Amino acid sequence: MDALKLPQAPWDGDGALDAANHELEQMTTGEVMQWALETFAPHITLASSFGAEDMVLLDMWAQSNSTPIDVFCLDTGLLFSQTYALIAQAETMYHITVQRIRPRISIVQQANEFGPSLWSHNPDQCCQIRKVDPLASHLTRYQAWVTGIRRDQNANRRTAPLLGWDPKHGLLKINPLAKWSYDDVFRYLKTRNVPYNPMHDVGYPSIGCEPCTLPVTGGQDPRAGRWQGKEKTECGLHL
Ligand code: SF4
């Protein structure tokens, strides 16, 4: 694979990312992953919430049989038991240790400071404490992060590039599955016999924290089960 010419900092405004994306769009997803690993390791990290997309990326990384990559999850302390079980299963299967990035305060401390069930009355503040701040702190040590964002997940993600500059965190963001559909994801998982969260089979296309995730019905936006009844559609990690 020919090396892509990467733009120089500050990365934006000179069209170089557009040129790199044009080349990346011609590659297979596996080639994009391989390129990302070869270009940025060891300064690259894989963000995983252990959703279906994240399991595809983890399996692709494992198949690349090359460079180590740091894998982390934002452990809010409020994930489903099925998610915690899948993390443990993936660690065994892929011989990795997943970094659990935790908030500065426990659930009990949060309740003492802000009142019980902060997610019910101020989910933005809850996500800020339990996800957004820990992520920002974690990403300071890397040059690039890999996410499982897909363009058809919701309106906010429709223009997600394969390679973008993340101005909020000050590093490059790689979305190898940007062009994939939900069916593509499950075709891959089933063909490769990759484990996934069993909740996906009972109406949960997108799985976050237990208090803020409900099943969706046919025809709904795949992320419609997150923060149902509220304006909120994103944790704030990808905004
Ligand atoms: S998803 Fe819900 S419980 Fe999890 S951090 Fe955000 S508001 Fe809190």
Side-chain angles (χ1 to χ4, degrees):
M1 182 188 326
D2 293 337
L4 282 185
K5 187 173 178 304
L6 278 172
Q8 298 299 308
W11 311 101
D12 50 358
D14 63 1
L17 275 177
D18 290 344
N21 268 304
H22 180 73
E23 286 196 52
L24 289 168
E25 291 276 349
Q26 319 306 315
M27 295 182 185
T28 66
T29 306
E31 287 171 339
V32 172
M33 275 294 279
Q34 188 74 36
W35 167 81
L37 291 167
E38 288 172 0
T39 305
F40 296 106
H43 308 293
I44 185 169
T45 184
L46 172 59
S48 181
S49 59
F50 288 83
E53 293 82 3
D54 304 314
M55 293 309 295
V56 171
L57 293 174
L58 194 51
D59 190 72
M60 280 188 173
W61 162 76
Q63 277 192 81
S64 76
N65 194 26
S66 58
T67 330
I69 188 170
D70 291 347
V71 181
F72 76 92
C73 73
L74 297 173
D75 183 358
T76 61
L78 293 160
L79 305 180
F80 285 90
S81 59
Q82 292 92 329
T83 305
Y84 287 114
L86 182 59
I87 295 171
Q89 187 180 3
E91 287 184 311
T92 303
M93 182 168 168
Y94 295 113
H95 309 290
I96 56 171
T97 301
V98 175
Q99 297 182 60
R100 276 89 164 158
I101 307 302
R102 298 194 169 98
R104 66 177 173 82
I105 51 175
S106 68
I107 304 291
V108 172
Q109 290 169 317
Q110 181 169 293
N112 289 339
E113 266 187 58
F114 302 102
S117 307
L118 182 59
W119 47 86
S120 299
H121 55 91
N122 194 341
D124 284 342
Q125 187 175 29
C126 186
C127 276
Q128 187 74 35
I129 294 167
R130 312 208 73 75
K131 293 184 173 183
V132 177
D133 290 344
L135 176 72
S137 169
H138 182 66
L139 290 181
T140 55
R141 68 191 77 165
Y142 297 100
Q143 294 174 354
W145 63 311
V146 181
T147 87
I149 282 180
R150 291 184 298 102
R151 289 173 189 154
D152 74 358
Q153 280 171 320
N154 66 17
N156 291 333
R157 300 182 178 188
R158 214 144 278 159
T159 56
L162 288 168
L163 172 69
W165 177 245
D166 176 348
K168 183 172 170 184
H169 300 110
L171 78 174
L172 287 162
K173 183 173 181 180
I174 301 159
N175 307 309
L177 303 184
K179 295 187 287 186
W180 285 39
S181 67
Y182 194 69
D183 287 348
D184 292 334
V185 170
F186 276 86
R187 199 172 303 116
Y188 180 97
L189 294 176
K190 296 200 167 170
T191 303
R192 292 264 315 144
N193 205 20
V194 176
Y196 62 86
N197 194 321
M199 293 174 64
H200 289 308
D201 289 335
V202 289
Y204 293 81
S206 176
I207 304 167
C209 294
E210 192 162 357
C212 301
T213 307
L214 290 173
V216 301
T217 53
Q220 278 187 304
D221 181 308
R223 285 176 62 84
R226 307 286 293 276
W227 306 284
Q228 256 189 27
K230 298 191 166 62
E231 294 284 307
K232 188 173 171 66
T233 56
E234 295 274 1
C235 322
L237 307 180
H238 299 296
L239 294 175

